[in-house]
Amino acid sequence: PASNVCFFAKCPYMCKTEYAVCGNPHLLEGSLSAFLPSLNLAPRLSVPTPWIRSYSLAGKEEWEVNPLYCDTVKQIYPYNSSSRLLNIIDMAIFDFLIGNMDRHHYEMFTKFGDDGFLIHLDNARGFGRHSQDELSILSPLSQCCRIKKKTLLHLQLLAQADYRLSDVMRESLLEDELSPVLTEPHLLALDRRLRIILQTVQGCVEAHGEQSVIASDPAGESAPDPGQPHLTR
């Protein structure tokens, strides 16, 4: 009606013309995707995340209403016998930093079995609203109260003045041919969200103890300099 060019998607979830993305009149923000090797070359397994969103106006998923939901997840294979749950928590932290609410599945290369890494695939919903911090994205962390020691040390390092996440990202993106990739408010939002993550971990430690919350790294994984500060407010 406003003579703008609009796009909407067709998908199994909540894709309708009411949720169209419109230009003004035709220019739109976009995202650039890098494609993975074909499934013939690198077979992948797609698994619904235990914290999948309802994608419906009819009701909510169990994790949205049950704060003890993680106790159930930890009893289910493979989350009860591998590093998979800790990897999902890592992915949730990544998604919270970029503001991605659209992680309904995760993928793995089948070649590496149950202990393979998660592929951070399809992040196009990231960096939408820099002013909004969607705490529900952090539910795997806040409900399970577990985090890899290596992950925590990296986050603590990026909270230090000399290695501030926004500064590291800004410097890195200057080398990109599409620079500037992120606006300044998006960069500053990274620092704000990082503080929220560390506060969440601190709350878990106060409630359950550091030994219960911080998972030792598997042998062979590297971590930042151990001389860096430990968990602090």
Side-chain angles (χ1 to χ4, degrees):
S3 298
N4 296 331
V5 177
C6 300
F7 294 88
F8 73 96
K10 293 183 178 180
C11 70
Y13 304 109
M14 296 181 65
C15 298
K16 300 179 181 179
T17 55
E18 293 93 323
Y19 305 131
V21 177
C22 299
N24 185 20
H26 61 273
L27 292 178
L28 289 168
E29 278 192 9
S31 65
L32 182 66
S33 300
F35 291 94
L36 292 170
S38 73
L39 292 174
N40 293 330
L41 294 175
R44 301 192 302 272
L45 179 68
S46 180
V47 184
T49 172
W51 282 268
I52 190 171
R53 296 184 177 273
S54 57
Y55 292 95
S56 168
L57 301 177
K60 294 185 177 182
E61 296 290 334
E62 184 181 351
W63 68 267
E64 297 178 278
V65 296
N66 179 10
L68 301 178
Y69 174 72
C70 188
D71 292 342
T72 301
V73 175
K74 287 188 289 188
Q75 298 176 30
I76 302 172
Y77 178 84
Y79 308 111
N80 61 350
S81 60
S82 70
S83 60
R84 187 81 62 90
L85 183 58
L86 288 171
N87 290 342
I88 285 180
I89 292 171
D90 273 358
M91 182 171 278
I93 290 172
F94 171 78
D95 283 334
F96 179 71
L97 286 171
I98 69 174
N100 178 24
M101 295 176 61
D102 198 33
R103 186 74 64 189
H104 40 79
H105 289 75
Y106 61 85
E107 300 203 11
M108 304 173 64
F109 290 117
T110 56
K111 177 179 180 179
F112 302 111
D114 283 346
D115 289 322
F117 57 88
L118 306 190
I119 304 171
H120 289 51
L121 175 68
D122 186 4
N123 308 302
R125 287 288 299 274
F127 296 109
R129 296 175 60 184
H130 58 76
S131 59
Q132 179 176 345
D133 302 328
E134 182 54 55
L135 296 178
S136 66
I137 301 174
L138 270 187
S139 292
L141 172 63
S142 60
Q143 291 182 356
C144 297
C145 271
R146 291 281 284 169
I147 188 172
K148 294 178 185 176
K149 181 179 180 181
K150 175 184 176 182
T151 300
L152 181 58
L153 289 174
H154 277 299
L155 294 175
Q156 289 173 328
L157 179 63
L158 292 169
Q160 303 301 312
D162 291 341
Y163 302 95
R164 187 175 287 113
L165 179 54
S166 60
D167 293 338
V168 172
M169 283 289 291
R170 187 183 298 105
E171 182 178 353
S172 175
L173 293 174
L174 285 175
E175 304 298 323
D176 196 291
E177 293 183 3
L178 296 178
S179 179
V181 178
L182 295 177
T183 62
E184 190 65 18
H186 277 299
L187 291 171
L188 297 179
L190 292 172
D191 296 330
R192 185 181 68 243
R193 292 167 184 164
L194 177 55
R195 290 193 296 270
I196 293 173
I197 294 167
L198 293 176
Q199 290 166 1
T200 301
V201 175
Q202 178 64 41
C204 287
V205 169
E206 292 174 354
H208 304 286
E210 186 170 314
Q211 187 172 1
S212 174
V213 173
I214 302 174
S216 298
D217 298 309
E221 281 197 342
S222 60
D225 183 353
Q228 290 296 329
H230 291 284
L231 185 66
T232 57
R233 284 190 179 278

